[in-house]
Amino acid sequence: MVLLRQEIGDVLRDARRQQGRTLREVSSEARVSLGYLSEVERGQKEASSELLASICDALSVPLSSVLREVSERVAQAEGPVTSPMVPAVQVPDTVPDGLAGELAGAA
């Protein structure tokens, strides 16, 4: 089972380590205790949205980038969807002829 808090912690830790920064530096800038930040990184605590935004700011990493990376990791861990209750989404790579004509007429 994939735990969202674990994936968030892993992504935050990876970002911090890539910057060569310590827990102490980031916790001070994010205004969160060192122990709490450590627990968030280890997936033992779930960060509130406010705390997560503060940590991202301290790391100069957009929250959207962290969430995108987490989403990709969760999707990869889940593997392909094979349940008959969850149909695969088909996204066409072209505009249907009828719709293309309507859009051209509206322009």
Side-chain angles (χ1 to χ4, degrees):
M1 173 192 293
V2 179
L3 292 178
L4 192 57
R5 69 174 185 259
Q6 182 68 53
E7 296 301 326
I8 290 171
D10 288 347
V11 170
L12 292 174
R13 184 185 316 110
D14 289 348
R16 180 181 58 77
R17 287 181 174 171
Q18 284 177 355
Q19 294 177 13
R21 298 178 66 194
T22 65
L23 276 168
R24 186 173 307 282
E25 291 169 342
V26 175
S27 68
S28 176
E29 194 170 332
R31 297 182 182 202
V32 61
S33 75
L34 185 137
Y36 194 80
L37 178 58
S38 176
E39 288 179 312
V40 168
E41 282 193 0
R42 288 181 283 136
Q44 295 178 337
K45 295 284 185 185
E46 293 198 34
S48 68
S49 57
E50 292 86 358
L51 180 63
L52 189 54
S54 181
I55 295 168
C56 288
D57 285 344
L59 291 169
S60 298
V61 175
L63 176 60
S64 60
S65 295
V66 170
L67 296 177
R68 187 175 304 111
E69 177 67 22
V70 168
S71 176
E72 289 172 4
R73 290 180 182 211
V74 170
Q76 186 176 24
E78 289 177 338
V81 177
T82 57
S83 169
M85 296 183 70
V86 183
V89 176
Q90 298 291 325
V91 179
D93 60 352
T94 59
V95 177
D97 291 334
L99 182 59
E102 288 178 32
L103 292 174

